[in-house]
Amino acid sequence: MATITSATQRPTVLEQVRTTEPRRHLLPLRLVAAAPLLGIGLAHVLAPEAPMRPLVEAAGFPVPGVLAPLAVAAELVAGTLLALGLWARIGAALAVPTMLGAVYTHLVVDIWPNVDAEEPPIALPVVVLLIASYVLWRGAGRWSLDARHARAERSGS
């Protein structure tokens, strides 16, 4: 009976999630997506005048008491994972539904409960959504902790 060697084994799901292409352009894209995710997520946590719950209620999402903290946590985790390039596809997978919710909120909310001035631009969640979708497809790129992990695995470390 033949045994399967490690060279012929199929990668596990977790290994496939961490695979990435050696593309350099993904670093600036990841950082462009991570910055607003982290910044807005931190603002919802640290600024008492900018809680997430009124936005979730204004958009008409169900169970705002549960969904609001989950959305903030998703923003922070997604931003951190994308910035580091660590499990970047998981970060992107968290960012996509979060940004879909943000785009929907921009479309349905007339008066923003947390903003004294005008409504924030819809372009920001759209750009983050597009970049997160691209990272979900391509991976974190050459300059990421995912790529570093892959190099360490190949070298046997």
Side-chain angles (χ1 to χ4, degrees), residues 49-126:
E49 66 276 359
M52 177 67 89
R53 187 173 177 151
L55 284 172
V56 173
E57 290 171 346
F61 288 114
V63 281
V66 174
L67 191 59
L70 287 177
V72 172
E75 286 176 336
L76 293 171
V77 170
T80 301
L81 295 178
L82 287 171
L84 297 174
L86 175 67
W87 297 97
R89 283 194 167 106
I90 291 175
L94 288 171
V96 166
T98 304
M99 291 301 102
L100 285 172
V103 169
Y104 175 79
T105 301
H106 273 82
L107 296 174
V108 300
V109 173
D110 292 326
I111 300 172
W112 282 68
N114 294 347
V115 180
D116 293 333
E118 61 188 56
E119 172 184 335
I122 192 171
L124 183 63
V126 169

Side-chain angles (χ1 to χ4, degrees), residues 1-10:
M1 189 157 70
T3 59
I4 299 175
T5 64
S6 62
T8 60
Q9 286 180 340
R10 295 190 60 161

